[in-house]
């Protein structure tokens, strides 16, 4: 498959080179400008830029763990090798201090750097191209007023021929559709505002849409579920595997607070997304929710009925689901081993009325056991949910050191059978190996609550 696509690309490139591909691919250098004085920028514009930068998750990718903000150096693994993010602080030597606004705009809209080199689409310019002039100006003002950091990120480690940036001109020809967002007259203002944010800066499809073998989002399968940093980013369209169908209220609460009682918590790479969405005023978040709810669509009556039944059976995290299936009657050894681990290790939190941060939702409500892969479930079991700094937050211990691969497999298989729908997962052993090796940061985010006295977490302040 990869080979076939590669051949396709080579053929396209071959045809083009005969017809002046290098002329097509060439981009001019945009001259340096003197480093801008921060005082030149209107503070109101800078403030707006800060919000937009948050929605664009610029910090998540352009800051490596422990490194200075926006100084780059985060490794982004791809199937072609590793790409390291660049320094986008206004440092004149190692950052973008000498970039004019036109150069910044070209990077965001065309994926071309100041020197005229094509940039890899690991930088989501296929989404950022939709951003308006006004918003690009605000982002530029924001980045030019950051603390400059002198730091040169590591060079990319890509296999030949993917290390040849000229190939990206061919990639763009095949997959990149440049252009500022155009409102769709058939929808109202709020939907269009949501579409602008979601398809543009927030680039939700960057993780939630599957990619083809050359790393481009498959437009025809938008929001059909993708992959991000060792996590499955679930489908958000009609194929959503969530046991309880998503509705506007649940989406609003989940995206605002990182938790919803019928769905659980935003973990992994979704946690910083939620954190960053804090920058949105309620009105804009409602626009995002309106658009995503339209993507999700209305559940079929059958699906809605199943959702209601899951909620009823697990109300108060109640254990009505427990009695039958916890007893591994006549089951295989693996199943009974999995059941035994679940009952002793997981149920005391997940089927009790222990309040957060110590209890968890009944797993029948969780998308984890219902997803297309075991990956997220395995990630959470092995690495848990550590407490977040300085606030009460949901806590789950990690079992990386406490369980053998056989035990994790037995547990995961049991949890899938008991709480999940869909066929047996096939790739569990590999998922366990990958998750063990990853030792990645499991994103955590405080769950909401309104009354600290109730033993629930206090609501996180909206910045
Ligand atoms: C999903 C990860 C990701 C996100 C989110 C992201 N970037 Fe990047 N960005 C990259 C990568 C990777 C590169 C380097 C690409 C390359 O080397 O070809 C890059 C390059 C750039 C460049 C070119 C800099 C240079 O020196 O060539 C600019 C400017 C930039 N990003 C700005 C932004 C802004 C502004 C945001 C937020 C609105 C943002 N990026 C969000 C991954 C990301
Ligand atoms: C960096 C990758 C990434 C980006 C960008 C991203 N997501 Fe996610 N999202 C994920 C992952 C991974 C999960 C699964 C998290 C988990 O298991 O808790 C997820 C989960 C979700 C869920 C819960 C789905 C379910 O059935 O449990 C919703 C809703 C969601 N994302 C909406 C969005 C929206 C809206 C945006 C854009 C504003 C967005 N996501 C951007 C990676 C991403
Ligand atoms: C000390 C209590 C505790 C124990 C023990 C525990 N968990 Fe959790 N778990 C939590 C909390 C708290 C959360 C986060 C809140 C939530 O999403 O339900 C959580 C979240 C989860 C989630 C994500 C649910 C979602 O979709 O948001 C899964 C899956 C999970 N746990 C599985 C397990 C399994 C399997 C075990 C047994 C190996 C286990 N947990 C043991 C407390 C616990």
């Amino acid at each position: 498959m990869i080979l076939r696509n590669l051949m396709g690309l080579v053929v396209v490139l071959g045809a083009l080179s005969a017809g002046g591909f290098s002329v097509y691919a060439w981009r001019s250098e945009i001259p340096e400008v003197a480093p801008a004085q921060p005082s030149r920028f209107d503070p109101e514009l800078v403030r707006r830029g800060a919000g937009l930068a948050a929605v664009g998750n610029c910090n998540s990718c352009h800051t490596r763990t422990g490194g200075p903000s926006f100084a780059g150096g985060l490794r982004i693994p791809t199937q072609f090798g590793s790409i390291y993010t660049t320094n986008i602080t206004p440092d004149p030597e190692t950052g973008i201090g000498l970039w004019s606004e036109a150069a910044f705009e070209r990077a965001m809209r065309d994926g071309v750097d100041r020197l005229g080199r094509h940039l890899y689409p690991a930088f989501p310019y296929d989404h950022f191209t939709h951003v308006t002039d006004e918003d690009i100006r605000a982002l530029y003002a924001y980045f030019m007023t950051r603390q400059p950091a002198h730091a040169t990120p590591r060079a990319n480690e890509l296999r030949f021929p993917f290390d040849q940036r000229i190939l990206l001109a061919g990639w763009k020809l095949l997959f990149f559709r440049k252009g500022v967002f155009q409102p769709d007259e058939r929808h109202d203002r709020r939907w269009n505002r949501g579409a602008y944010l979601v398809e543009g800066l927030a680039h939700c499809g960057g993780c939630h849409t599957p990619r083809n073998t050359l790393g481009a989002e498959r437009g025809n399968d938008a929001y059909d579920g993708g992959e991000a940093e060792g996590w499955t980013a679930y489908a958000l369209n009609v194929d959503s595997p969530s046991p309880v169908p998503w509705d506007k209220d649940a989406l609003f609460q989940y995206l605002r607070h990182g938790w919803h009682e019928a769905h659980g918590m935003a973990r992994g790479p979704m946690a910083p997304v939620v954190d960053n969405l804090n920058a949105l005023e309620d009105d804009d978040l409602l626009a995002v929710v309106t658009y995503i709810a339209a993507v999700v669509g209305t559940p079929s009556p059958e699906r809605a009925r199943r959702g209601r039944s899951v909620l009823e059976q697990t109300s108060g995290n109640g254990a009505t689901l427990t009695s039958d299936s916890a007893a591994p009657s006549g089951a295989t050894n693996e199943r009974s081993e999995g059941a035994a681990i679940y009952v002793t290790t997981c149920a005391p939190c997940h089927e009790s009325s222990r309040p957060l941060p110590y209890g968890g939702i009944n797993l029948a409500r969780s998308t984890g056991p219902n997803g297309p892969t075991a990956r997220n479930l395995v990630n959470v079991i092995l690495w848990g949910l550590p407490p977040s700094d300085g606030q009460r937050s949901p806590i789950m211990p990690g079992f990386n050191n406490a369980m053998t691969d056989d035990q994790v497999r037995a547990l995961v298989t049991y949890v899938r059978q008991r709480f999940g729908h869909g066929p047996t997962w096939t790739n569990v052993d590999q998922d366990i190996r990958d998750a063990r090796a990853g030792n990645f940061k499991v994103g955590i985010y405080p769950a909401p609550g309104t009354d600290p006295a109730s033993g629930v977490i206090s609501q996180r302040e909206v910045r």
Side-chain angles (χ1 to χ4, degrees):
M1 188 65 172
I2 293 186
L3 199 64
R4 211 176 59 217
N5 276 301
L6 214 55
M7 296 294 284
L9 187 66
V10 169
V11 169
V12 171
L13 285 180
L16 282 168
S17 62
F21 179 69
S22 46
V23 174
Y24 166 80
W26 187 78
R27 292 289 180 280
S28 60
E29 176 174 344
I30 295 181
E32 293 178 355
V33 291
Q37 290 306 316
S39 57
R40 198 190 107 194
F41 297 97
D42 173 10
E44 174 53 24
L45 194 64
V46 173
R47 197 191 60 82
R48 277 208 326 111
L52 296 166
V55 175
N57 293 324
C58 317
N59 56 349
S60 313
C61 284
H62 283 278
T63 309
R64 71 180 162 76
T65 319
S69 291
F70 303 118
L74 184 82
R75 187 175 81 93
I76 302 197
T78 75
Q79 67 255 51
F80 314 115
S82 295
I83 297 181
Y84 292 87
T85 55
T86 52
N87 180 344
I88 54 169
T89 72
D91 182 61
E93 278 163 31
T94 60
I96 59 170
L98 304 177
W99 289 39
S100 62
E101 190 178 317
F104 181 77
E105 189 225 290
R106 185 171 70 172
M108 295 285 284
R109 292 254 176 84
D110 299 276
V112 172
D113 75 2
R114 190 185 67 76
L115 295 172
R117 295 176 306 182
H118 290 287
L119 293 164
Y120 287 98
F123 170 33
Y125 54 80
D126 50 340
H127 291 276
F128 296 164
T129 187
H130 303 318
V131 176
T132 60
D133 290 352
E134 243 190 315
D135 286 354
I136 298 247
R137 189 161 313 129
L139 281 164
Y140 181 71
Y142 175 71
F143 282 102
M144 288 300 147
T145 50
R146 291 312 90 204
Q147 183 70 34
H150 195 84
T152 306
R154 287 175 66 163
N156 293 339
E157 294 149 1
L158 293 163
R159 287 193 308 279
F160 182 83
F162 304 106
D163 55 350
Q164 304 295 308
R165 287 185 183 266
I166 189 86
L167 282 189
L168 292 166
W171 187 92
K172 287 179 180 176
L173 195 65
L174 291 172
F175 305 119
F176 177 54
R177 298 292 162 263
K178 178 186 154 126
V180 175
F181 175 77
Q182 298 301 324
D184 182 338
E185 303 295 325
R186 290 166 304 175
H187 294 280
D188 64 8
R189 198 195 55 82
R190 178 164 273 162
W191 183 96
N192 274 297
R193 177 69 183 156
Y196 170 71
L197 290 167
V198 166
E199 299 297 342
L201 272 180
H203 66 277
C204 311
C207 296
H208 286 280
T209 295
R211 291 176 186 270
N212 66 20
T213 42
L214 288 174
E217 286 175 34
R218 300 199 324 240
N220 292 338
D221 300 318
Y223 301 103
D224 215 14
E227 206 247 333
E229 300 154 49
W231 293 74
T232 295
Y234 304 119
L236 297 179
N237 57 15
V238 62
D239 292 327
S240 155
S242 173
V244 179
W246 285 95
D247 61 24
K248 274 191 182 179
D249 287 347
L251 283 167
F252 189 90
Q253 153 123 1
Y254 177 88
L255 293 175
R256 181 52 98 210
H257 301 294
W259 188 81
H260 187 272
E261 60 173 6
H263 298 278
M265 231 181 128
R267 304 168 303 267
M270 191 58 201
V273 171
V274 170
D275 205 357
N276 280 331
L277 287 178
N278 258 328
L280 286 182
E281 306 283 343
D282 279 357
D283 221 34
D284 270 347
L285 187 64
L286 206 55
V288 166
V289 162
T290 302
Y291 180 74
I292 292 289
V295 168
V296 173
T298 314
S300 65
E302 170 55 18
R303 183 141 191 265
R305 195 198 53 73
R306 268 191 282 125
R308 276 194 305 276
S309 135
V310 165
L311 288 178
E312 277 159 25
Q313 285 181 299
T314 57
S315 62
N317 251 3
T320 43
L321 275 177
T322 334
S323 42
D324 60 333
S325 28
S329 55
T332 63
N333 285 341
E334 186 174 74
R335 180 171 157 83
S336 54
E337 189 189 3
I341 298 173
Y342 173 80
V343 170
T344 52
T345 318
C346 318
C349 284
H350 283 279
E351 289 188 58
S352 75
S353 47
R354 296 179 80 179
L356 289 168
Y358 306 106
I361 57 167
N362 188 300
L363 294 183
R365 296 183 176 194
S366 169
T367 315
N370 288 283
T373 73
R375 194 59 208 268
N376 295 9
L377 186 60
V378 173
N379 288 345
V380 173
I381 292 173
L382 292 183
W383 300 106
L385 301 165
S388 70
D389 296 341
Q391 28 198 343
R392 298 187 66 190
S393 59
I395 300 168
M396 173 172 150
F399 296 90
N400 189 40
N401 296 327
M403 287 189 203
T404 64
D405 286 359
D406 286 345
Q407 288 171 322
V408 178
R409 189 191 319 103
L411 173 61
V412 162
T413 306
Y414 171 76
V415 167
R416 170 72 163 176
Q417 278 172 6
R418 172 149 168 231
F419 299 106
H421 297 272
T424 312
W425 285 318
T426 49
N427 205 31
V428 177
D429 289 329
Q430 186 63 43
D431 285 337
I432 295 173
R433 273 196 297 279
D434 289 345
R436 285 227 201 258
N439 197 4
F440 43 82
K441 185 163 171 270
V442 175
I444 44 163
Y445 195 79
T450 39
D451 178 12
S454 70
V456 189
I457 304 132
S458 62
Q459 189 157 331
R460 187 189 163 96
E461 267 183 50
V462 175
R463 267 180 273 136

